Amino acid sequence: MTSLAQEPAPPGAEVAARPQTVSVVVCAFDEGRQALLQESLGSVLGQSRPPEELVLVVDHNEELERRMREAYPDATVVANEGPQGLSQARNTGVRNSSGDVLVFLDDDACPEHDWLAELVARYDDPDVIGAGGLVLPRWETERPAWHPEEFDWVVGCSYRGLPESVAPVRNPIGANMSFRRSVLERTGDFVEGIGRVGKRPLGCEETELSIRARAAHRDSVILHVPSARVRHAVPASRAEWGYFVSRCLAEGISKAKVARRRGSDSALASERTYVTRTLPRGVALGLRQALRGDIGGLGRAGAIVIGLGLTVAGYVRGRLLP
């Protein structure tokens, strides 16, 4: 890959006036997902607008790191330089890359052909400090009849209630997001203690960073770009009710950690609309579908109510934790 050595610049017209160089950062930890990882990396390298640099961060797995170095000699393959976890793996990717725009992709997310071009095009606007795309579920088994689209965030995907066209958002979804390098340099690292570590289903590290980034760049925006699409693998284990329960509880705990750091107004700004508008509409839709003969609609309506209760319970627990 081309090694970039350009000095970072703050968001502004001078940045938008020249082509943006791009580093794609993929973080991996599990050799059991190697086939998905290689599919993801192949799709990145085959983009209509290829990145100048591909950085693969392997999170404390020497065997996987060795395999990837051999398989991708032109990529930058590095070990996580900090404690195990997605936050520190992403920070390692930032430090070992040099593009003007840093794009983060999950190791089990496969981008469509124009994904990168759609994301990077948004940085022609100097007010854009970050952009994220649509994350579509690719179920290993069929979608459970009871699983509502309003809760697709449980499996790391975009959910019903997000904007259907390009629009400002508080934060992108971590599986498919990007930021200007200059923004990350000013904002600081992804913080430890919030994001996923191994298979522990916590999250929200991108939420916390996005809140800080917007606070540091008050006249700027982070965009949701639905045309920048990736397909996120959802294994059978994540289609089970037990995972739904644990993930909802973990999300509440993660949101409480963000609220402690950034205040509840910022941490829950998007959730208020989601809870007061999106979820009631989802319950009503499920009940209407049940009345029309789709028994799964009743399950989806119930899952929305239970999922909300679990997430609130997780939030309360997280606020009470020392």
Side-chain angles (χ1 to χ4, degrees):
M1 286 291 162
T2 302
S3 177
L4 305 177
Q6 297 172 349
E7 292 296 322
E14 70 280 3
V15 176
R18 62 178 172 81
Q20 304 293 319
T21 55
V22 177
S23 298
V24 173
V25 176
V26 181
C27 302
F29 75 97
D30 184 359
E31 66 270 17
R33 303 199 320 199
Q34 184 174 334
L36 291 170
L37 171 61
Q38 291 183 292
E39 181 184 18
S40 175
L41 297 179
S43 296
V44 170
L45 295 173
Q47 287 289 297
S48 61
R49 191 276 185 222
E52 280 70 27
E53 187 176 48
L54 172 60
V55 178
L56 173 61
V57 182
V58 181
D59 192 5
H60 294 264
N61 188 323
E62 293 182 0
E63 176 59 22
L64 180 60
E65 181 185 349
R66 182 191 64 78
R67 292 180 193 174
M68 293 299 100
R69 286 186 189 277
E70 293 177 355
Y72 297 92
D74 293 329
T76 300
V77 180
V78 296
N80 181 1
E81 298 168 350
Q84 184 180 18
L86 185 54
S87 289
Q88 286 298 338
R90 284 173 172 162
N91 292 334
T92 297
V94 173
R95 288 191 292 269
N96 286 273
S97 61
S98 49
D100 300 321
V101 175
L102 297 175
V103 181
F104 298 90
L105 178 71
D106 273 11
D107 63 339
D108 54 356
C110 186
E112 296 186 354
H113 187 57
D114 293 326
W115 159 73
L116 197 56
E118 292 289 340
L119 275 184
V120 176
R122 304 301 159 180
Y123 290 97
D124 290 342
D125 182 345
D127 291 333
V128 174
I129 61 172
L134 200 66
V135 184
L136 302 172
R138 187 172 64 169
W139 299 88
E140 182 181 4
T141 56
E142 290 187 8
R143 171 191 283 272
W146 55 265
H147 199 294
E149 291 184 21
E150 290 80 2
F151 274 75
D152 276 1
W153 56 262
V154 164
V155 292
C157 296
S158 301
Y159 52 91
R160 181 179 287 146
L162 286 175
E164 297 182 0
S165 58
V166 176
V169 290
R170 179 190 61 192
N171 62 275
I173 294 176
N176 178 12
M177 66 178 177
S178 64
F179 295 95
R180 292 189 191 271
R181 170 178 294 281
S182 56
V183 169
L184 295 181
E185 289 176 343
R186 180 176 178 183
T187 300
D189 289 348
F190 291 93
V191 297
E192 285 188 65
I194 294 180
R196 183 177 291 263
V197 177
K199 297 182 180 181
R200 187 179 65 183
L202 296 175
C204 293
E205 69 280 355
E206 69 276 1
T207 301
E208 194 275 342
L209 183 137
S210 296
I211 291 170
R212 277 189 285 130
R214 293 180 63 203
H217 304 83
R218 297 221 175 248
D219 295 327
S220 299
V221 296
I222 297 172
L223 292 179
H224 174 61
V225 185
S227 57
R229 296 154 58 106
V230 306
R231 299 190 178 273
H232 192 274
V234 181
S237 60
R238 296 190 181 184
E240 297 176 355
W241 180 252
Y243 184 82
F244 182 89
V245 170
S246 64
R247 184 68 186 88
C248 288
L249 285 168
E251 181 72 7
I253 293 171
S254 297
K255 282 292 191 300
K257 291 184 176 183
V258 175
R260 282 188 174 190
R261 288 177 176 269
R262 301 297 151 201
S264 58
D265 286 347
S266 297
L268 302 178
S270 298
E271 285 71 18
R272 292 187 180 92
T273 300
Y274 174 74
V275 168
T276 59
R277 296 183 185 178
T278 300
L279 295 189
R281 290 172 182 172
V283 171
L285 175 62
L287 294 177
R288 287 198 303 271
Q289 290 169 333
L291 290 173
R292 295 170 185 165
D294 179 3
I295 301 303
L298 189 60
R300 292 188 290 275
I304 290 174
V305 175
I306 295 171
L308 173 60
L310 289 167
T311 306
V312 171
Y315 181 83
V316 172
R317 177 185 175 188
R319 295 293 281 183
L320 294 175
L321 289 174

